[in-house]
Amino acid sequence: QVQLVESGGGLVQAGGSLRLSCATSGTISSRNTMGWHRQAPGKQRLLVASITTDGLINYASSVRDRFTISRDNAKNMVYLQMNSLKPEDTAVYYCNVFQYGANYWGQGTQVTVSS
């Protein structure tokens, strides 16, 4: 089993920054994909960014050039640096790990961007 705990969410004004962290525990594969998704009220959960063990990164077009994903393989942690935040970035942000054909999710952390 894999457990994930997000932290770092909160309320920020438009143009501000936040850094999300995700701590993992349990059986973590040496090869996996870690990422961040977000879900706004009444909308689907969508990919924000992902990063493989080898460092291959993928961003949603809406956050490219504003958000940066990174990971610490030694600590099995993944981070999301969010800059130039916009009100449309408001959502619950979920950390996930994909390994051995299964997806594991955290409980989510709320990010609210005020205009």
Side-chain angles (χ1 to χ4, degrees):
Q1 287 295 330
V2 176
Q3 294 80 41
L4 302 93
V5 178
E6 302 97 336
S7 61
L11 173 64
V12 64
Q13 288 189 333
S17 299
L18 284 174
R19 186 180 190 238
L20 305 183
S21 299
C22 177
T24 67
S25 60
T27 305
I28 306 296
S29 169
S30 61
R31 299 190 66 81
N32 59 46
T33 299
M34 304 181 80
W36 292 91
H37 289 65
R38 67 186 181 188
Q39 187 168 19
K43 297 190 177 180
Q44 289 184 323
R45 188 176 298 189
L46 298 174
L47 173 71
V48 176
S50 64
I51 182 169
T52 67
T53 310
D54 296 331
L56 183 63
I57 292 174
N58 182 40
Y59 290 106
S61 58
S62 59
V63 307
R64 193 171 289 125
D65 298 329
R66 298 189 298 123
F67 291 8
T68 302
I69 190 170
S70 61
R71 62 186 289 165
D72 185 329
N73 289 336
K75 297 180 179 179
N76 290 320
M77 292 194 65
V78 62
Y79 308 94
L80 186 68
Q81 177 66 42
M82 304 185 294
N83 299 327
S84 302
L85 282 160
K86 304 175 180 180
E88 51 264 43
D89 294 319
T90 295
V92 177
Y93 283 70
Y94 297 91
C95 171
N96 83 293
V97 173
F98 180 78
Q99 61 180 27
Y100 303 126
N103 238 333
Y104 301 89
W105 297 91
Q107 296 287 336
T109 184
Q110 177 70 46
V111 171
T112 302
V113 184
S114 63
S115 57

